[in-house]
Amino acid sequence: MTSSSPPQSASKSQIEPVVLTKKIVLPKSSAHAIIVSINRPSQLNCFNTEVAYSLANIFNDIAQITSPSKANDADDNNDDIAAVIFTGSGNSFCAGADLSNPPNPLEQSSDLPEHLLGNPVHQMSKVSVPIIGAIPGYAITGGFELALACDILVGDHTTKFRDTHCKFGLAPCWGLSQ
């Protein structure tokens, strides 16, 4: 796994990736976990269009390497993935959508195949190993929906869940309406 790429117009040394990934070896085991971190700590990890599509691409890749058909492939270097740990950099998991550049809500709530490719929650549902949400600080609105797409949630005394869709006149796209 590699970090998502910055836009082509920016140099890699100037801009940090908006989503980081790291493969780790689990203690007392030969199995691995993949850590996926939203990396916009100065914006409390609010997601914009780039973050949503990066998450969707990363979870699609993870779903493909953890699929049961890949588990029997002896040439695969990504076997023994036991779990995914989904978190946010800094003091917040995800404080919702960046309202200056949110993903298109019509596309995010669509069931059309071309739109599902860019929907991180749909891609998370395809991952065949547990997704553990490590939730520091805020999980608000769309961030709350991302957390609910995890199989297991772990928080601490700073964790706060909140739904503010109505406050901003937004409709839930990723699961709070179900």
Side-chain angles (χ1 to χ4, degrees), residues 5 27 34-35 38 41 44 50 82 86-87 104 108 116 128 143 149 176:
S5 301
I34 298 172
I35 301 172
I38 302 173
L44 298 177
E50 182 182 9
F86 185 23
T87 192
N104 182 324
Q108 291 298 312
L116 290 174
S128 63
L176 278 176

Side-chain angles (χ1 to χ4, degrees), residues 9-166:
S9 62
S11 96
K12 289 183 181 181
S13 63
Q14 293 176 332
I15 296 181
E16 289 277 326
V18 295
V19 179
L20 303 173
T21 59
K22 181 179 180 181
K23 186 174 176 180
I24 61 169
V25 177
L26 297 174
K28 300 180 184 177
S29 170
S30 62
H32 295 83
I34 298 172
I35 301 172
V36 178
S37 301
I38 302 173
N39 188 36
R40 298 183 77 212
S42 63
Q43 292 87 15
L44 298 177
N45 295 318
C46 286
F47 60 87
N48 57 15
T49 302
E50 182 182 9
V51 171
Y53 284 107
S54 294
L55 286 171
N57 289 332
I58 288 166
F59 282 112
N60 182 48
D61 290 347
I62 293 170
Q64 296 206 14
I65 64 173
T66 61
S67 73
S69 63
K70 283 285 204 176
N72 298 325
D73 186 357
D75 296 329
D76 192 355
N77 292 329
N78 291 306
D79 57 355
D80 295 331
I81 302 295
V84 175
I85 301 167
F86 185 23
T87 192
S89 300
N91 297 323
S92 179
F93 172 69
C94 178
D98 179 343
L99 297 178
S100 68
N101 181 21
N104 182 324
L106 295 176
E107 289 180 7
Q108 291 298 312
S109 60
S110 170
D111 286 336
L112 295 173
E114 62 269 21
H115 294 157
L116 290 174
L117 285 173
N119 181 323
V121 170
H122 175 75
Q123 298 304 324
M124 290 170 73
S125 73
K126 297 177 0 183
V127 174
S128 63
V129 297
I131 299 175
I132 302 166
I135 315 294
Y138 298 110
I140 300 175
T141 312
F144 191 4
E145 291 180 285
L146 289 171
L148 289 175
C150 297
D151 299 297
I152 301 166
L153 296 178
V154 179
D156 64 15
H157 69 281
T158 68
T159 304
K160 293 179 175 44
F161 294 99
R162 187 168 176 200
D163 182 21
T164 61
H165 282 95
C166 290

